[in-house]
Amino acid sequence: MHLPHHRQLFFRHVAQTSPSPLALEIERGEGMYLYGPDGRRWLDLIAGISVSVLGHSHPEVVAAVQQQAARYMHTLVYGELVMAPQVELAALLARHLPAPLDSVYFVNSGAEATEGAMKLAKRYTGRTEIVACRKAYHGSTQGAASLMSAQWYIRPFRPLLPGIRHIDFNDMGGLEAITTRTAAVILETVQAEAGVIPPDPSWLQALRARCAETGTLLVLDEIQAGYGRTGTLWAFEQCGIVPDVLLLAKGMGGGMPIGAFIASRDIMQCLTHDPVLGHITTFGGHPVNCAAALATLQVLLREPWIGQVKAKEARFRKNLVHPAIRAVRSAGLLMAVELDSFEQVQRVMRYGLDHGLLTDWFLFNDRCIRIAPPLIISEAEIDEACRVLLEGIAASVDTRQAT
Ligand code: PMP
């Protein structure tokens, strides 16, 4: 170990989020791999939780960051100045989104995109109720956390926002909870942290119709599912609907922190008055992050990666066959491999780390192994990842049977 004191500093001075962080030391990232200081490397099956769609440190993203940083970095709060990377990114997003989604409000993270959409919906409709789905995750800030149903997760942080009603994802019966008092329905197009639950398109279409009928804004969170992960640039494209508001982050910046909530110009205009400056952000739409996001989107649109997602998903599914695997759920390269217990998942993850493979579990489904690699993963890398996973599963099952 070259830098033993870094681990000590990490545990001593970096605020911890759990008693058992992975605490791998990272020296550099390149393409599909993260590298440690001691020559170890890990094939990254989770892409920083659905972030690094182009792999780590894609050269065009790095160049865009370097060039923009040398030109100018922060200038003034979001919304005042005309900056080339920001306006070009907004225009490119609008060009690749269906009408009427043409107005982009830039923020710094997924949670902030959720927060912005919640405020936008209240301001636009003049209503206060919000409907969200059980087992959803939209961010850890207090507004976004209010949308969650998992009491074990949010109870210690009360009081949170009132007026939130929960429905089950894919449940037609839940649509009745959406009324003329509902400002917005907020849901993930594919439920990620629940352990990858793809949407039933007919349910989404009925939800869309119910929102139109009641004057409720339909907000789709594609913070994990967007940016090509499901095989189309946006996951909702496969469901025959268009949301009123779209939430983006994670993959958007190609490894840099940026998010957005996107709506029609007509809806978004209400944030300009009553009150003026009612939603503002210092760093939102930071020019360096916009340059990274612009390069990311340009590369994604140019390269064949999105078109290959379905074949890669099929290759994973073909490989991942083992008696201990209870189910494999997937929406493109967002996949959950279900085992019997969290202990088994932890053992497989540990086996992976020891054999050069980085995986993870899900916040609201700890019996599943997360697979959400960079979209650039090759067929050989898929086979290698599955080989290690199956070995890890076999070893974990054997251990379990032996004990
Ligand atoms: N929505 C979804 C679907 C997410 O998966 C996440 C992050 N895991 C968020 C919102 C929040 O994003 P952030 O961590 O950037 O605040």
Side-chain angles (χ1 to χ4, degrees), residues 114-124 130 271 278-280:
T114 305
E115 297 284 340
M118 291 171 81
K119 281 176 71 179
L120 175 67
K122 288 175 170 176
R123 168 68 183 81
Y124 183 72
I130 294 182
L271 291 182
H279 193 71
I280 49 179

Side-chain angles (χ1 to χ4, degrees), residues 286-298:
H286 192 286
V288 174
N289 299 341
C290 283
L294 181 61
T296 301
L297 188 52
Q298 285 167 338

Side-chain angles (χ1 to χ4, degrees), residues 257-338:
I258 185 169
F261 56 103
I262 305 177
S264 69
R265 191 165 177 280
D266 170 49
I267 293 176
M268 207 64 102
Q269 278 296 98
C270 72
L271 291 182
T272 62
H273 56 283
D274 305 324
V276 65
L277 302 177
H279 193 71
I280 49 179
T281 160
T282 299
F283 287 128
H286 192 286
V288 174
N289 299 341
C290 283
L294 181 61
T296 301
L297 188 52
Q298 285 167 338
V299 173
L300 250 193
L301 293 170
R302 187 190 69 214
E303 296 289 345
W305 312 127
I306 296 180
Q308 296 170 353
V309 162
K310 292 285 183 198
K312 291 176 179 176
E313 171 189 21
R315 196 173 184 100
F316 267 110
R317 294 192 72 109
K318 188 162 158 280
N319 281 339
L320 289 172
V321 177
H322 188 281
I325 295 178
R326 299 296 169 215
V328 177
R329 284 185 300 279
S330 61
L333 286 176
L334 183 55
M335 315 184 74
V337 181
E338 188 163 327

Side-chain angles (χ1 to χ4, degrees), residues 49 109-111 114 137-139 188 193 221 223-224 249-250:
I49 316 296
S109 66
T114 305
Y137 183 83
H138 298 289
E188 297 159 273
E193 294 310 313
D221 175 341
I223 289 166
Q224 285 209 46
K250 289 196 184 271

